[in-house]
Amino acid sequence: MQPLLDSSFYFMMTTVILLQFSWLSLMRSGGRRYLRSIVHHHRPNTALARAYAWRLERPANAVIEGGTMTALVIFLMGLHLSTYTAEIPLTALFVVGLAMALYTTSTLQTALGVKRLTSVEKQIADKIDSSVDRIGSARTLIDELVGRRSRQDSVRWLALFRIALRDTPLGWSVRDALMEKRKSWERAAETSIAARKASDNGQQGPSIT
């Protein structure tokens, strides 16, 4: 009699988990590289960063990515379950169903996140592009985001930097506004450092020679 869950089943599940973990780690690394590129107004130039950028282009891409991973998992699980000569244990079916539910949930969450990003990006692009003064409109939006400093605004920041990559008058305007804000922060930081150094030098007592 075949055991309910033999060692090969656990090996297969371990392989599936490692596959998912590896893919998530790769995409997380790609996300970091993607963000480093766009905040400096560079297009993604590594394979992982480009893969992450492709995922963010539209919700369908996220579904394709998740669907590919799910299909691979189904293939691996089906390949193993086909080796059972007797009735497939209910425990095995439960584990397989749970894995499929987790993969499907992860895919839907990613797709919804991409949908929100693309929607916000379109709203911002339409608002700035319809303005007579695109740079001024972009400045106003950036100042609002800086003033709020809310975690929920991370999607808007990402949308702005994505728009800034466009080779259009809209993209150039947003890029100019972002670079202008960065330069103002750099000048403020340099002024603060210089003032602190001057204060420290002024507080030093007479040297003993």
Side-chain angles (χ1 to χ4, degrees):
M1 180 178 179
Q2 191 168 7
L4 290 180
L5 292 177
D6 55 21
S7 59
S8 63
F9 182 84
Y10 291 111
F11 176 77
M12 183 270 296
M13 288 304 302
T14 302
T15 302
V16 169
I17 293 172
L18 289 176
L19 180 65
Q20 173 73 350
F21 178 78
S22 299
W23 180 250
L24 290 176
S25 298
L26 287 173
M27 293 310 296
R28 191 175 294 112
S29 176
R32 288 194 296 267
R33 297 181 185 186
Y34 173 76
L35 290 176
R36 279 199 299 267
S37 296
I38 67 172
V39 297
H40 291 93
H41 309 297
H42 299 310
R43 295 188 181 280
N45 56 3
T46 64
L48 289 177
R50 287 195 295 268
Y52 194 85
W54 178 82
R55 172 202 274 188
L56 297 183
E57 286 180 3
R58 53 178 184 164
N61 290 355
V63 173
I64 292 172
E65 175 193 311
T68 302
M69 292 297 298
T70 303
L72 180 59
V73 170
I74 291 175
F75 172 76
L76 292 175
M77 290 182 172
L79 191 64
H80 173 78
L81 294 178
S82 65
T83 62
Y84 281 87
T85 56
E87 184 179 354
I88 299 176
L90 291 178
T91 306
L93 293 177
F94 173 77
V95 173
V96 171
L98 180 61
M100 290 299 96
L102 291 175
Y103 269 85
T104 302
T105 301
S106 176
T107 299
L108 290 177
Q109 287 178 340
T110 302
L112 289 174
V114 173
K115 182 179 180 180
R116 182 189 175 200
L117 171 62
T118 54
S119 176
V120 170
E121 183 176 336
K122 185 178 185 304
Q123 291 174 2
I124 293 176
D126 291 344
K127 181 178 180 180
I128 296 177
D129 205 25
S130 62
S131 175
V132 176
D133 181 8
R134 294 191 184 95
I135 296 180
S137 180
R139 283 198 200 105
T140 301
L141 178 57
I142 292 170
D143 289 338
E144 290 176 356
L145 292 176
V146 172
R148 285 202 299 259
R149 295 183 179 180
S150 172
R151 288 186 177 182
Q152 296 179 351
D153 291 329
S154 59
V155 176
R156 291 182 175 273
W157 278 113
L158 179 56
L160 274 174
F161 280 104
R162 282 170 54 85
I163 293 172
L165 292 179
R166 301 182 186 182
D167 290 325
T168 62
L170 170 62
W172 301 331
S173 299
V174 174
R175 183 160 59 248
D176 288 345
L178 287 170
M179 293 179 68
E180 182 181 283
K181 176 59 69 174
R182 170 175 287 178
K183 289 179 180 178
S184 70
W185 286 338
E186 291 174 350
R187 287 194 297 268
E190 291 173 356
T191 302
S192 177
I193 292 173
R196 189 178 298 112
K197 287 183 178 179
S199 177
D200 292 341
N201 292 334
Q203 292 176 359
Q204 290 179 356
S207 60
I208 300 175
T209 58

